[in-house]
Amino acid sequence: MAKVLVVDDAAFMRMAIKNMLENHGFEIVGEAENGAVAVQKYAECRPDLVTMDITMPEMNGLDALKAIMKINPEAVVVMVSAMGQEAMVREAIMSGAKSFIIKPFKEDHVIETLKKVLP
Amino acid sequence: MSGQNNEQMLEMYIFETEQNIEQLETLVLSSEKELGFAEDALHELFRLMHTIKGSSGMMSYQSLASVAHHLEDLFYYLREQQPQNVDYTILSDLVLEGIDLMKVELQKIKNGEEADSDTAPLIKSIEDYLQLLKQQNGAESETAVALAQPDSAGGFCARADAVTYKAVVHFAADCAMENVRAYALVHSLQAEANVLQLFPADLDDDDSAEIIRTKGLTVYLQSELEAEQIEEIFWQTPFLNKLELTVVDSLQSEEAAWDAAQLPKQQQNNHTAASNSVISVSVNKLDKLMDLVGEMVIAESMVIQNPDLNGLELENFEKAARQLHKITSELQDLVMSIRMVPLATTFHKMHRLVRDMSRQLQKDVQLQLIGEHTEVDKNIIEHIADPIMHLIRNAIDHGLETAEEREALGKPAAGTITLEAKNTGSDVLILIKDDGRGLNKDKILERAREHGLLTKMTAEMTEKEIFELIFLPGFSTKDNVTEFSGRGVGMDVVAKNLEMVGGAVSVSSVAGQGTVFTLKIPLTLAIMDSMNVKVGASCYTIPIISIKECLRLQQHTLLNDTEGYEMLMVRGECYPIFRLHQYFNVKNAVTDLEKGVLVMVEHDKKSFLLFVDELLGQQEVVVKALPAYIKERYQSKGISGCTLLGDGSISLILDVGGFVQ
C-alpha cells in the first residue's frame, strides 16, 4: 500500500484527493496546507508519493518540490495543476516532478497517473 | 465515491468557498480604502480565485468556476504586468460584482438548487476591462515563465553504436495539456536516450498541445537500448494511448542535445509556516455534544441528590461527588465556549454595505467597529446579522444627513456609524450608533396616530415610550422607498428576529446628535434563565425574558369579555387570562383563581396572564429539543422545548408566542 502525502491549500481539494486515493487502497499519511508544511511533513513521514498543489500561500508547490527533491532525489512528486499553469508544470518536471494531474480531475485519471509513476 | 463522501465534500466545499469569498471581499474593500492593490493583495486575490475555480470545477459548478476563472485571469495580468494608471474603482466594482454572483450561486447550492445564474454579462465586462487594461498598457508581453531550452551536454551521452529510433505517440483523448505531457515524456527519455528531434519542436508553445492532440508527437532518439526497453520507458508515461516505434537509418537534421539536469537555483525557504492546528466540526455534532453534556449535568445531580442517600453520612462519597461536579461544570463551560464565535465576521460584512450605500446615496460614511472580538453562540449570530444590517441601512438612509446639511450644522461632513459589541454578564450588547439627525418625536407620534397604534394619551408618554413605537408592527410605511431601506419591512421585523433568539432591542436618541439602537442578546440559546411553575402534578418552564410580573388575584378586578373569556384589570388595563390547566388538560390542578398565581408574560408587545398553581423558582435550564413525535403534535402550540430538572423530572418549556395565536 503506497503512502501518500497530500498537499493543497484548500481543505476541500485535500478531501477530494484523499477520498479518491483511499478508494483505491492508497494510505494517506499526511496532509499539508502549504509548501513549508509539506517539506516538513515529507521529512517526517517519508511518503512514497506526494500530490503537490502549485498555487499556495507561504511557500508554493514549485519551491516545495525543489526542497523535497533536495531531501530525497528519488522522491515521487505529482503536481496538481490547472489549465493555464503549463509553464509552471514544465518547470516542475524540470525540477523532478514525475507527472501532473489537472484540476478539475477525474478519479480514473488521478489513479492512472499515480499508478504509473510509482516505482 | 460513496454518497456520504459526496455530502461531506459538498459541506467542505461550501464551508471553504464561503470563507474564501469572505476573505476576497475583505481584501478588496481594504485595498479600495488604500486606493490601490498592493502586490501581496494581488497575490492573495489571485490565489483565492484560483482555489475557488479549482474547487468549483471539481464539483462541476460551472458558473462559479468560470467567474472565478475570469477574475483569476484579471488578477494574473495585474500581478504579472503591474500596469500603471489602473482605475481601481472599476476594478473593485467588477470584483465585488463577481463576489456577489458567487455568493448567490453558493446560496443556491446550499438550498439544493441548480447554480445556474447567467454569468455571461459579468464575464463580458471582466474581459472588456482586461482588454482595456492591455490596450492602455501596450501590447501584452510574454508573461509565461520562459524556460530556457537547455542545450548543454549532460545526462545521456550516445555512443557510436547507438540506434536511431523514430517514435510517434498519441495521448488519451481527454487528458489535456498534451504539450506538457510530451515535455514530461521527453524529460524521462533523456535519462536513457539522446533525443534528437521533436515534432512539434516547441513544446513551450501551448498551441503545440493541439498539434499533438491531432497528429501526435514525433520523437527521434538515439539509444543503445533494445526497442522493447525503449517502449517500456514510453509506456511509463500516464495517458499514453498509442505508440509506433520504428528504427530509422539516420537523421538529417542537426542534433539537438537536450539536457534536463540543469535545475534552476533553488532557494531554501526557511520559514516554517505556523501550522494551523484548527479543525472544522459540523455544528450538528456540537449541538449533540452540548445536549449530552447537558444530560450528564442532570444525571450528575440525580446521582448526588438521590433520595436513597438521604440521612447518610458519606464522607468519601461527598468527596468523589465534589470532584465529579467540578469536572462536569468545567466540561460544560468548555462545550459552551466551543460554540462561541466572534462577531467579527458579521461586523466586517457591514463594511460592504456601508461602502455600497455611501456611494449610492452620495453620503460620506465612516464605519467604526468596536469590540468585534466579542463572542456569541453560533446559532445566535445567524439571527442577528439581518437586524444589524437593517439598522445600519436605516441609519445611513434616514439617520445621517447629507454632507451639505451636516456642514451647515457644524458637523463633520462625513457621518459616522459605530457598531459596538460588549459583554454584560449573561448578555451581549450590540450598539448601533449614528451621529445623524436623531429620531423625530412629533413625526413618530403623527404616524402612530395615523395607523391607530396609540394606546395612551400622548401627553402621558415618556420619550422612551414614544421611541419604542417604531418597533410596533404596522408602524413602518412604504412611502419612503429607496433601494436600501423603507421596503415595508420595518423595525418590527428587527424586534421579532431578536425575540426569536431571546433578545430585545431598544432605542435612544437625541435630536440633532444621533440615535443609538441597543440589541441585547443572550450569549447562548442552549442555556436559558427561566421560571419553573407547577400546574397539577406537572411542571412547566417559562423563559424569564417573557415574564413581566407575577401577581395574585386579590387586589385586581376580574372581568368577563363579551365572549365569556376571563380578563383581569391591572392598573387600568385589561389582560386576558390563559388557564394552563385547561390548555394542557391537567387533572387535579388549582382551579380557583384566588388560590393560584397569575404570571404576566409579553410577546410582540402583547401581554397576557398565565394561570398556574404555584411558582417553583427561578433556575438556569438546559434547553433540549422536543422529541419528534411530540413536536409534530405541539409545534407552535405553546411548547418550544423541554428540559430536565434536578430531580430528574421533565419540564416543558412554554413558548409564549404560541399562546398568542
Side-chain angles (χ1 to χ4, degrees), chain B residues 461-609:
Chain B
M461 289 177 84
T462 61
E463 191 175 56
K464 198 169 167 56
E465 281 174 316
I466 295 172
F467 290 152
E468 308 254 294
L469 285 172
I470 62 172
F471 296 116
L472 290 178
F475 179 85
S476 296
T477 54
K478 290 179 192 166
D479 54 45
N480 196 3
V481 181
T482 67
E483 192 195 334
F484 296 104
S485 48
R487 270 175 286 195
V489 219
M491 300 297 271
D492 59 314
V493 177
V494 171
K496 199 174 266 172
N497 268 341
L498 279 157
E499 246 166 56
M500 251 158 58
V501 294
V505 56
S506 59
V507 59
S508 66
S509 176
V510 178
Q513 287 183 19
T515 311
V516 183
F517 284 94
T518 307
L519 311 184
K520 189 173 145 194
I521 48 175
L523 278 175
T524 175
L525 288 179
I527 289 187
M528 188 175 67
D529 228 358
S530 66
M531 175 73 81
N532 293 328
V533 299
K534 203 174 157 194
V535 181
S538 315
C539 186
Y540 296 91
T541 300
I542 307 173
I544 285 280
I545 189 124
S546 314
I547 300 180
K548 284 179 81 179
E549 61 181 317
C550 299
L551 34 97
R552 294 246 182 215
L553 187 62
Q554 291 102 336
Q555 322 89 305
H556 307 284
T557 327
L558 194 62
L559 304 165
N560 278 319
D561 75 355
T562 48
E563 283 156 57
Y565 288 113
E566 290 168 306
M567 310 281 275
L568 192 70
M569 185 79 104
V570 183
R571 289 184 292 274
E573 280 189 52
C574 261
Y575 299 96
I577 299 174
F578 275 94
R579 287 168 177 263
L580 278 189
H581 66 92
Q582 252 171 19
Y583 190 83
F584 290 116
N585 216 356
V586 181
K587 303 262 172 355
N588 302 324
V590 176
T591 51
D592 186 350
L593 283 179
E594 282 188 23
K595 291 201 173 122
V597 178
L598 291 160
V599 182
M600 188 184 291
V601 290
E602 187 189 50
H603 178 79
D604 251 358
K605 310 278 164 203
K606 279 184 207 134
S607 299
F608 52 94
L609 297 156

Side-chain angles (χ1 to χ4, degrees), chain B residues 404-423:
Chain B
E404 297 83 50
E405 286 176 86
R406 291 181 66 89
E407 271 171 351
L409 290 165
K411 288 182 178 181
T416 306
I417 306 262
T418 312
L419 188 54
E420 180 179 356
K422 54 186 174 192
N423 262 310

Side-chain angles (χ1 to χ4, degrees), chain A residues 9-13 19 34 40 59 66 70 82 85 89-90 93-94 100 104-106 109 112-113 116, chain B residues 9 16 47 50 54-55 58-59 174 177 180-181 183-184 187 203-204 235 239 263 266 269 272-273:
Chain A
D9 56 335
F12 165 79
M13 273 297 167
N19 284 343
N34 65 46
Q40 194 188 333
M59 184 199 272
K66 290 168 196 166
K70 232 183 196 177
Q85 293 186 318
V89 178
R90 278 192 289 268
I93 285 165
M94 291 282 286
F100 59 97
F105 39 71
K106 297 192 193 112
H109 278 195
E112 164 163 7
T113 306
K116 276 273 167 72
Chain B
M9 287 197 25
E16 203 166 49
R47 187 182 69 78
H50 182 78
S55 302
M58 286 296 294
M59 296 296 290
D174 56 348
M177 280 202 207
V180 189
R181 296 193 185 281
Y183 190 90
H187 181 79
L203 297 177
D204 280 355
W235 282 113
F239 301 104
L263 289 180
Q266 59 182 5
N269 202 339
T272 343

Side-chain angles (χ1 to χ4, degrees), chain B residues 121-381:
Chain B
L122 176 65
I123 287 175
K124 176 87 178 31
S125 9
I126 299 173
E127 279 173 345
D128 289 351
Y129 181 69
L130 184 56
Q131 207 54 47
L132 185 78
L133 280 182
K134 284 179 181 170
Q135 277 167 11
Q136 283 173 348
N137 289 277
E140 184 188 15
S141 56
E142 196 48 63
T143 59
V145 183
L147 274 184
Q149 298 275 356
D151 54 8
S152 60
F156 177 79
C157 290
R159 291 214 310 258
D161 57 348
V163 187
T164 306
Y165 296 94
K166 177 192 177 192
V168 181
V169 297
H170 286 266
F171 292 101
D174 56 348
C175 71
M177 280 202 207
E178 284 81 355
N179 57 328
V180 189
R181 296 193 185 281
Y183 190 90
L185 168 63
V186 171
H187 181 79
S188 62
L189 282 171
Q190 276 159 4
E192 304 291 342
N194 197 356
V195 177
L196 303 173
Q197 203 177 45
L198 295 173
F199 179 79
D202 185 8
L203 297 177
D204 280 355
D205 180 0
D206 291 332
D207 293 338
S208 60
E210 186 52 40
I211 302 172
I212 298 173
R213 209 170 296 144
T214 49
K215 297 185 178 151
L217 170 78
T218 310
V219 190
Y220 289 95
L221 66 151
Q222 212 176 31
S223 171
E224 67 256 40
L225 294 179
E226 297 291 320
E228 288 84 37
Q229 290 168 303
I230 298 281
E231 281 188 354
E232 208 172 290
I233 300 172
F234 271 98
W235 282 113
Q236 276 167 10
T237 311
F239 301 104
L240 193 74
N241 208 11
K242 205 169 121 195
L243 167 68
E244 295 163 31
L245 190 72
T246 46
V247 178
V248 288
D249 293 337
S250 65
L251 191 74
Q252 294 92 341
S253 75
E254 87 253 33
E255 290 194 7
W258 286 63
D259 179 10
Q262 203 183 47
L263 289 180
K265 269 247 159 25
Q266 59 182 5
Q267 286 175 337
Q268 185 63 42
N269 202 339
N270 273 333
H271 62 250
T272 343
S275 171
N276 198 355
S277 52
V278 168
I279 57 161
S280 48
V281 183
S282 126
V283 179
N284 289 343
K285 277 191 189 165
L286 284 185
D287 285 345
K288 189 137 195 208
L289 180 64
M290 181 79 218
D291 229 36
L292 281 173
V293 170
E295 253 170 69
M296 195 179 75
V297 171
I298 291 153
E300 178 216 330
S301 62
M302 280 162 74
V303 171
I304 293 174
Q305 296 164 18
N306 200 300
D308 291 359
L309 301 171
N310 283 349
L312 296 178
E313 289 264 336
L314 303 164
E315 196 183 323
N316 288 324
F317 178 83
E318 293 290 334
K319 244 188 222 166
R322 268 199 300 277
Q323 177 72 3
L324 176 65
H325 179 73
K326 185 170 160 272
I327 295 171
T328 45
S329 31
E330 259 175 45
L331 189 58
Q332 198 174 9
D333 288 348
L334 184 72
V335 174
M336 298 285 291
S337 74
I338 294 176
R339 300 173 50 91
M340 300 301 230
V341 197
L343 282 162
T345 338
T346 313
F347 275 22
H348 282 291
K349 277 187 191 150
M350 305 304 155
H351 277 300
R352 174 72 190 280
L353 176 74
V354 171
R355 168 197 182 270
D356 286 357
M357 280 192 74
S358 71
R359 279 242 199 136
Q360 193 83 20
L361 301 171
Q362 314 237 314
K363 288 182 183 174
D364 201 356
V365 186
Q366 303 235 332
L367 178 66
Q368 206 183 351
L369 300 183
I370 303 175
E372 73 232 62
H373 298 298
T374 311
E375 294 187 328
V376 181
D377 191 294
K378 168 107 176 92
N379 287 345
I380 291 180
I381 284 206

